Amino acid sequence: MFKRLVTAAVTAVLIAGLGACSQGGDTHDEVSNHALDAGQDDGSATGQPAPATTATGDPSVVGVRDQVRHRAAQTTRATRPRMTKKCTTTTHRVKHTTSTGSGTKRRSRSWYSTDHSTSCKKVRTGTRAYRRVVRPERWCVRLDDVGGDPKKDDVWFQVTPATYHSAVGADERAHLEFTPTGSGC
């Protein structure tokens, strides 16, 4: 029973991963002002080999270091509603009664008390300013001879900050291998 559950879970993860890899989208390369296809292409249509993979199975790229670029996050001033908690207290009278005795000697006694209840809700009280991120921070590396193909020059890849810093420290025209987080810059 346990083996079946594990097999089903692994199959579900693989199907989800393959489905995520097959989805592509268009991005905009702001350096050359051209639209780029950010979809995954294994090169099978052009007869080129599929990209290399790391030990964990992630697709990696290999090439010669050309340039590095850090693009700071771009933000703009925006406003959002300011929500505050408003509470109201309500009171109502409650009648209490006790009885003593029985038959004709039965006596009732009544008294009143006041119960307090509080209800709170969030209400809008003006607006507040904040910084909205228009473009997230990016670290990019440009490679030549991507995958050993001398025709694939000047290709930008988005990378992690750690990969960016190691590329900055590498010599000009050094061979680099890394797993990109996105294409274009």
Side-chain angles (χ1 to χ4, degrees):
M1 178 69 173
F2 182 72
K3 284 185 177 181
R4 287 183 185 173
L5 288 174
V6 170
T7 304
V10 169
T11 304
V13 169
L14 286 173
I15 290 171
L18 290 174
C21 288
S22 67
Q23 296 174 354
D26 289 333
T27 58
H28 188 265
D29 185 3
E30 296 173 4
V31 174
S32 62
N33 205 19
H34 294 291
L36 295 174
D37 183 18
Q40 298 292 330
D41 183 16
D42 63 356
S44 59
T46 59
Q48 296 176 358
T53 57
T54 59
T56 60
D58 296 331
S60 64
V61 294
V62 179
V64 178
R65 179 190 181 274
D66 186 9
Q67 218 176 6
V68 293
R69 176 186 295 164
H70 175 247
R71 300 195 64 168
Q74 185 178 2
T75 61
T76 184
R77 186 173 167 0
T79 59
R80 64 170 55 123
R82 180 186 307 262
M83 304 300 283
T84 57
K85 188 161 82 168
K86 181 180 179 182
C87 298
T88 56
T89 303
T90 57
T91 60
H92 65 281
R93 288 184 63 180
V94 179
K95 182 178 181 179
H96 304 277
T97 306
T98 60
S99 299
T100 59
S102 63
T104 58
K105 300 211 182 223
R106 185 177 178 110
R107 294 187 61 187
S108 294
R109 185 172 76 90
S110 298
W111 73 94
Y112 293 90
S113 68
T114 304
D115 276 354
H116 301 277
S117 63
T118 304
S119 63
C120 299
K121 62 181 180 178
K122 288 193 172 193
V123 295
R124 182 177 173 169
T125 55
T127 59
R128 66 183 186 104
Y130 74 102
R131 301 298 295 181
R132 183 172 56 89
V133 176
V134 177
R135 182 186 69 207
E137 187 173 21
R138 294 181 189 160
W139 295 271
C140 304
V141 175
R142 187 167 81 177
L143 295 179
D144 289 338
D145 301 339
V146 177
D149 185 0
K151 294 178 184 175
K152 286 189 177 180
D153 286 343
D154 300 330
V155 181
W156 283 101
F157 294 100
Q158 294 179 29
V159 295
T160 61
T163 303
Y164 169 81
H165 290 299
S166 66
V168 167
D171 293 332
E172 187 72 25
R173 309 301 295 165
H175 287 275
L176 298 177
E177 180 177 357
F178 55 84
T179 301
T181 59
S183 61
C185 188

